[in-house]
Every structure is written in C-alpha cells, then in structure tokens.
C-alpha cells in the first residue's frame, strides 16, 4: 500500500468544522478531510463570468471577515436597496467571535449557502477587516463553480476573490463593500462594470483626489503601456498568501495593489516578501492605488512612502504608477479580477478589453 501523508492539524480542524456544520445541514458541503488534504489543483482553466446585476436582483449580504456595528449594517442595507436590489441576509451575518464575524464554520456556512441559494443573484461582503484567509482551505470550490455568482468586496476580501478565481476561474469584483460610501465616481464604475459591463469599459483616473493625506497624487514611477490579465488587491493579503496554495502567479499579469494604515517599513517588508517569494518581478506592469495613511510619523527614522515604492518597484523595468483610483478611499473604481486589460501610465486610463459579466 502507498503511505498517505496527513496534516494532522488540518485534519482535526476540518473534522471539528464538519461536525458542527452537520447540525446545520451544511456539513457535507462545508469541507471534508479529502478537500483539505487534496485541494483542487491550480492551473489554466476557463474563465467563468457571472451574470450582470440588474434592478430587482437579490443580493446575499455576508461578513466573511470582521464584525461590524449596527450603523454599518443600516448604511449597507440602505445603499443596496437604493440601487433597486432585494437583500437576503446571511444566517450568521451578525455573529461575533472576538475580532471575527462569527466562528470559521459559521462564515463558511454563509458563503456556501449564498452560492447555493437559487434566489440569490450576487454576493456582497458588508466589510473587510480580518479573517477571510483563515477559511480558504475549507471552502467547497466545486460547489462555488457549479453556482457561479458575482462576489464583490475589497481589502480582506482580496483573499476570498483570489482563492475562488484560482480554484474555479470565476471572475471576482474588487470594488466597494456593502458599507462603502457610494460617491458619484464609485457608483459610476460599479454600474459600468457590474451592471452594464457587457462591453469593454474604460476606467479614467478620478481627479478629485478624495483620499486623505499628501500621498493621493497620481504619478508615474516607470512610464509605458501594458496589456495583461488583471489581478491583485490588498498588498497585505497578497503577501500573507505567499507560499500557500492560494498564491497568485504574477507572470505576464497586470497587477494592482493597495493598502491602508501601514508604515513605509511595513510596505517595504510586504513588497520584499512578494518579490522574494513570488514572481511579481515577472508581471507585465503594476498599478498602485492610493495607499491611505501610509506615511511615517514626523521625526521617525523612515523612508517616505514615495521612496519606499520607488526603491522596491522602480527598477523592475516594467510600467509602474502610483495613485490610481482604488483603495481605502472614498472614490474607488470596481476592478474585475481575471479580465484582460490595458493600462497606459501617461493617459491615466485602464481599458478593460472584454466584458466582465454575461
């Protein structure tokens, strides 16, 4: 007989999740020892484009990361309803387990339920925070692939969008969370990409610069025009996924990165980790969003954010820019992960070369 290698910690953790979920009727879809120990291989696959959103559709609202206040929930419900959508709340949406919006098995259960529910047309994450990367090995990617739907969010939701895309080919939407403020710019590109995105879309830089601080000015680090598959998200999450089965292959990709509240030395550490552990240097180009609140305090021994980014990315000999309109800011565009796109640093424009929805 061939010996079988088992990760005991993963096995026991998955068994505990499965036993709890069996009481909710979701035990068989939540995870199994086979799913965790022998995950679906990551490799070339056909892209799956979700249905476009339209008024009257039902949004499944979930919290796969951190908990939230009552005012955040009210804001999300009001904004989603204002777009003409119906709303279905995740069973465990308002749960709390310390800094998590419920235990892992509860958040997994809501994700699986929303994908499987035929009444739900799209899934919107109410906020980011922390915790999404914890549940990635235990998701049922076969179930998700059989019930493809639009998944919307950013920040910590980066991990969920990337894992699902790598495992299934389903296009994910790096855009406002349910509780984001829907400014005119944010709403314009959300509707163009997620609701009317049957044709290619050109995303222009927002010149109002609604971000905070002095680091919200667009600038070119290395000029050029580049075409590639659009991937990326929050820098902290991408660095955290390095070395795991959910790490992105950046070769020939058009990579977008953003972060918030990280001092320059931490930005340096995360970029260094990606450059050392992944093939980020083989990307076609890099678009940096607005890194809100990422400067060192006055008097600290530190490089500036500008120097940190230039120092790490300026020598890659690929087009790189800073300050495009996405990140933890008021005016942010919606970026479909997995779509072919062209970016021109001088024109300050991202052209999506294909429809993101069907």
């Amino acid at each position: 007989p061939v010996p079988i290698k088992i990760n005991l910690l993963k096995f026991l953790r998955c068994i505990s999740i499965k036993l709890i979920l069996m009481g909710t009727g979701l035990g068989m879809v939540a995870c199994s020892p086979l799913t965790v120990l022998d995950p679906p291989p990551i490799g070339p696959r056909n892209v799956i484009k979700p249905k476009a959103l339209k008024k009257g559709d039902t949004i499944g609202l979930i919290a796969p990361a951190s908990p939230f206040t009552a005012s955040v929930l009210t804001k999300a419900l009001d904004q989603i309803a204002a777009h003409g959508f119906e709303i279905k709340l995740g069973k465990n949406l308002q749960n709390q387990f310390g800094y998590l919006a419920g235990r892992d098995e509860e958040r997994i259960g809501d994700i699986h339920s929303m994908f499987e529910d035929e009444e739900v047309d799209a899934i919107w994450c109410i906020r980011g925070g922390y915790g999404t990367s914890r549940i990635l090995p235990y998701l049922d990617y076969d179930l998700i692939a059989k019930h493809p739907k639009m998944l919307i969010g950013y920040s910590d939701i980066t991990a969920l969008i990337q894992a699902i895309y790598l495992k299934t080919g389903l296009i994910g939407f790096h855009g406002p969370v349910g509780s984001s403020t829907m400014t005119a710019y944010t709403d314009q590109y959300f509707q163009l990409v997620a609701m009317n995105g049957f044709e290619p879309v050109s995303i222009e830089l927002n010149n109002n610069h609604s971000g905070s601080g002095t680091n919200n000015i667009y600038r070119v680090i290395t000029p050029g025009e580049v075409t590639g598959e659009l991937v990326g998200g929050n820098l902290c999450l991408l660095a955290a996924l390095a070395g795991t089965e959910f790490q992105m292959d950046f070769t020939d990709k058009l990579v977008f990165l953003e972060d918030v509240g990280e001092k320059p030395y931490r930005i340096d550490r995360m970029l260094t980790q990606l450059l050392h552990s992944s093939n980020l240097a083989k990307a076609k180009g890099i678009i940096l969003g607005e890194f809100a609140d990422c400067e060192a305090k006055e008097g600290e021994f530190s490089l500036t954010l500008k120097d940190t980014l230039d120092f790490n990315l300026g020598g890659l000999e690929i087009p790189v820019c800073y300050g495009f309109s996405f990140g933890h800011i008021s005016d942010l565009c919606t970026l479909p992960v997995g779509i072919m796109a062209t970016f021109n640093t001088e024109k300050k424009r991202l052209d999506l070369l294909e429809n993101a929805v069907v």
Side-chain angles (χ1 to χ4, degrees), residues 260-324:
V260 62
E262 302 286 358
K263 293 185 178 182
Y265 82 89
R266 293 174 63 90
I267 299 293
D268 184 298
R269 182 173 64 196
M270 290 184 283
L271 287 173
T272 298
Q273 181 177 357
L274 280 181
L275 289 168
H276 287 176
S277 65
S278 74
N279 47 15
L280 180 61
K282 294 183 179 180
K284 281 286 191 69
I286 298 176
I287 310 171
L288 301 170
E290 295 191 26
F291 283 50
D293 191 27
C294 287
E295 290 287 3
K297 294 181 180 179
E298 186 176 352
E300 289 184 337
F301 291 107
S302 178
L303 294 173
T304 64
L305 174 65
K306 176 182 182 298
D307 290 340
T308 302
L309 296 173
D310 292 356
F311 178 60
N312 281 282
L313 304 176
L316 297 182
E317 299 182 347
I318 59 175
V320 182
C321 72
Y322 171 81
F324 203 69

Side-chain angles (χ1 to χ4, degrees), residues 41-92:
I42 292 176
R45 62 180 68 245
N46 293 327
V47 168
I48 302 174
K49 297 180 180 180
K51 290 192 312 177
L53 279 175
K54 63 183 185 300
K55 289 187 177 182
D57 280 350
T58 297
I59 301 294
L61 192 63
I62 63 171
S66 291
F68 49 88
T69 62
S71 62
V72 167
L73 177 59
T74 299
K75 181 180 179 181
L77 295 177
D78 289 345
Q79 290 191 141
I80 294 173
H83 281 76
F85 302 132
E86 301 295 325
I87 305 169
K88 186 167 188 175
L89 304 183
K91 177 183 177 181
N92 301 297

Side-chain angles (χ1 to χ4, degrees), residues 51-330:
K51 290 192 312 177
L53 279 175
K54 63 183 185 300
K55 289 187 177 182
D57 280 350
T58 297
I59 301 294
L61 192 63
I62 63 171
S66 291
F68 49 88
T69 62
S71 62
V72 167
L73 177 59
T74 299
K75 181 180 179 181
L77 295 177
D78 289 345
Q79 290 191 141
I80 294 173
H83 281 76
F85 302 132
E86 301 295 325
I87 305 169
K88 186 167 188 175
L89 304 183
K91 177 183 177 181
N92 301 297
L93 176 68
Q94 299 182 66
N95 289 3
Q96 181 184 354
F97 180 61
Y99 43 75
L100 300 170
R103 295 179 181 272
D104 291 349
E105 58 271 15
E106 294 170 335
R107 290 175 290 123
I108 291 169
D110 274 3
I111 294 171
H112 287 163
S113 293
M114 289 301 184
F115 271 105
E116 198 170 25
D117 191 334
E118 294 183 359
E119 295 181 354
V120 173
D121 299 291
I123 302 169
W124 211 332
C125 301
I126 190 170
R127 65 158 297 186
Y130 168 74
T132 305
S133 58
R134 291 178 51 86
I135 62 178
L136 301 184
Y138 310 104
L139 294 177
D140 187 333
Y141 295 99
D142 289 335
L143 179 149
I144 293 170
K146 291 176 182 177
H147 305 277
K149 298 175 183 178
M150 185 179 296
L151 174 67
I152 314 161
Y154 78 108
S155 192
D156 200 68
I157 312 305
T158 292
L160 188 59
I161 290 174
Q162 179 160 298
I164 290 175
Y165 176 64
L166 288 174
K167 296 291 189 178
T168 70
L170 177 61
I171 300 298
F173 291 75
H174 183 279
V177 291
S179 57
S180 292
T181 298
M182 279 290 190
T183 65
Y185 180 90
T186 300
D187 194 43
Q188 174 188 359
Y189 285 108
F190 172 75
Q191 293 198 41
L192 282 174
V193 173
M195 299 182 70
N196 304 316
F198 300 105
E199 300 293 336
V201 175
S202 290
I203 301 176
E204 304 283 350
L205 173 71
N206 174 47
N207 291 314
N208 291 331
H209 298 307
S210 64
S212 60
T214 60
N215 56 337
N216 54 353
I217 299 174
Y218 180 87
R219 65 185 183 86
V220 176
I221 298 175
T222 305
E225 180 175 287
V226 60
T227 297
E229 183 182 320
L230 191 62
V231 301
N234 181 263
L235 173 61
C236 182
L237 270 295
L238 295 177
L241 295 177
T244 74
E245 65 188 88
F246 308 103
Q247 174 176 302
M248 179 63 71
D249 178 3
F250 294 112
T251 304
D252 294 332
K253 303 292 197 306
L254 178 52
V255 182
F256 64 92
L257 302 171
E258 63 85 22
D259 221 314
V260 62
E262 302 286 358
K263 293 185 178 182
Y265 82 89
R266 293 174 63 90
I267 299 293
D268 184 298
R269 182 173 64 196
M270 290 184 283
L271 287 173
T272 298
Q273 181 177 357
L274 280 181
L275 289 168
H276 287 176
S277 65
S278 74
N279 47 15
L280 180 61
K282 294 183 179 180
K284 281 286 191 69
I286 298 176
I287 310 171
L288 301 170
E290 295 191 26
F291 283 50
D293 191 27
C294 287
E295 290 287 3
K297 294 181 180 179
E298 186 176 352
E300 289 184 337
F301 291 107
S302 178
L303 294 173
T304 64
L305 174 65
K306 176 182 182 298
D307 290 340
T308 302
L309 296 173
D310 292 356
F311 178 60
N312 281 282
L313 304 176
L316 297 182
E317 299 182 347
I318 59 175
V320 182
C321 72
Y322 171 81
F324 203 69
S325 306
F326 64 91
H328 288 70
I329 56 176
S330 297

